[in-house]
Amino acid sequence: MPQAGREERLRRYWDKHAGSYDKQMGFYDRHLFAGSRDWVCSKARGQVLEVAIGTGRNLVHYPDEVRLTGVEWSAAMLDIARHRAGQLGREVDLRQGDAQALEFPGACFDAVVCTFSLCAIPDDRKAVAEMARVLRPGGLLLLADHVEASPWWARAAQALIEVVSVPVGGEHFRRRPIRHVQALGFTVEEQDRFKLGIVEQLAARKPATT
Ligand SMILES: C[S@@+](CC[C@H](N)C(=O)[O-])C[C@H]1O[C@@H](n2cnc3c(N)ncnc32)[C@H](O)[C@@H]1O
């Protein structure tokens, strides 16, 4: 299938699963990703972009003074994020868009956040490059995701799961976004990896001059 058709199918996949996402993700948030959303969002300051914001599960974790923009390619996920923002009384500029081709000019955000989405975005390297482009020099990139495990047997299990998860839902289990971040010259200021190395969260600074 050509790339555009494959991406359209994945976008529809997320539209279809939007209604059940919060229940499903709630389980993983409690048992696997505990604390990651807070770890990432509490470090954000100023003008902040959240990429692939989904249903807005991070909204409650941002400091009040953050001015937030969220991008997401599934209209159904975005509808839930809008509803959640309304319930929380949080003003957010929510837009439908593609993480691999952000509509913003360069260097316009103080921080960029992306949680549990680089596993699902078709081209994670392109998405990280776009995040880097829209960050101002000296800005902070804040990521959390499930990544390639440390023990060989867990990596083997992830490879098996991917045989189904990648074609069905575009879900990757063996990615390492930190490598793209380092390749772009960012300084990783804080990093934490836990649960057999499966969960990784990091705060990386864009060079002050490019
Ligand atoms: C596992 S969910 C994570 C949602 C949210 N970030 C969270 O932490 O709960 C992955 C999200 O990435 C979105 N996504 C995947 N590819 C995308 C792309 N190219 N552009 C924008 N959003 C994308 C999906 O629609 C979905 O909402």
Side-chain angles (χ1 to χ4, degrees):
M1 194 189 287
Q3 179 75 359
R6 202 162 45 236
E7 293 196 357
E8 179 53 25
R9 194 183 63 72
L10 285 174
R11 201 180 53 71
R12 283 203 310 268
Y13 170 91
W14 284 105
D15 280 343
K16 197 170 145 202
H17 289 85
S20 57
Y21 178 77
D22 279 329
K23 191 168 176 217
Q24 209 174 52
M25 195 55 166
F27 174 85
Y28 292 109
D29 276 343
R30 280 191 301 279
H31 298 289
L32 192 61
F33 307 140
S36 289
R37 294 184 186 278
D38 207 49
W39 190 95
V40 162
C41 298
S42 65
K43 294 175 178 25
R45 296 284 182 277
Q47 200 75 46
V48 177
L49 173 67
E50 183 172 337
V51 174
I53 192 168
T55 59
R57 292 186 69 79
N58 288 333
L59 291 178
V60 73
H61 297 281
Y62 286 104
D64 287 343
E65 62 274 19
V66 155
R67 297 181 301 285
L68 189 64
T69 301
V71 168
E72 163 61 46
W73 71 356
S74 155
M77 297 290 273
L78 213 45
D79 280 347
I80 298 173
R82 254 187 213 111
H83 181 70
R84 179 170 264 137
Q87 279 186 326
L88 291 169
R90 182 177 259 288
E91 218 172 283
V92 193
D93 177 0
L94 288 168
R95 305 175 184 204
Q96 194 168 9
D98 185 353
Q100 303 159 123
L102 294 171
E103 61 177 282
F104 309 102
C108 63
F109 291 100
D110 298 305
V112 175
V113 168
C114 186
T115 61
F116 311 111
S117 291
L118 282 167
C119 51
I121 294 169
D123 188 335
D124 60 327
R125 183 193 300 265
K126 213 185 222 176
V128 171
E130 277 294 87
M131 294 176 205
R133 181 183 66 77
V134 301
L135 256 183
R136 67 163 171 78
L140 207 53
L141 180 60
L142 295 159
L143 304 179
D145 226 309
H146 59 83
V147 299
E148 187 174 60
S150 305
W152 69 267
W153 53 267
R155 288 201 299 277
Q158 288 175 315
L160 271 179
I161 295 167
E162 279 187 344
V163 171
V164 177
S165 71
V166 173
V168 171
E171 184 79 4
H172 296 258
F173 286 84
R174 294 181 300 154
R175 286 180 166 174
R176 290 301 309 278
I178 193 170
R179 295 191 184 131
H180 305 320
V181 173
Q182 286 170 325
L184 289 166
F186 279 52
T187 305
V188 178
E189 292 186 342
E190 287 182 69
Q191 183 218 8
D192 202 3
R193 209 170 154 199
F194 50 94
K195 302 273 183 189
L196 299 174
I198 288 170
V199 186
E200 185 167 54
Q201 52 202 29
L202 62 95
R205 180 100 35 208
K206 181 171 174 172
T209 50
T210 45

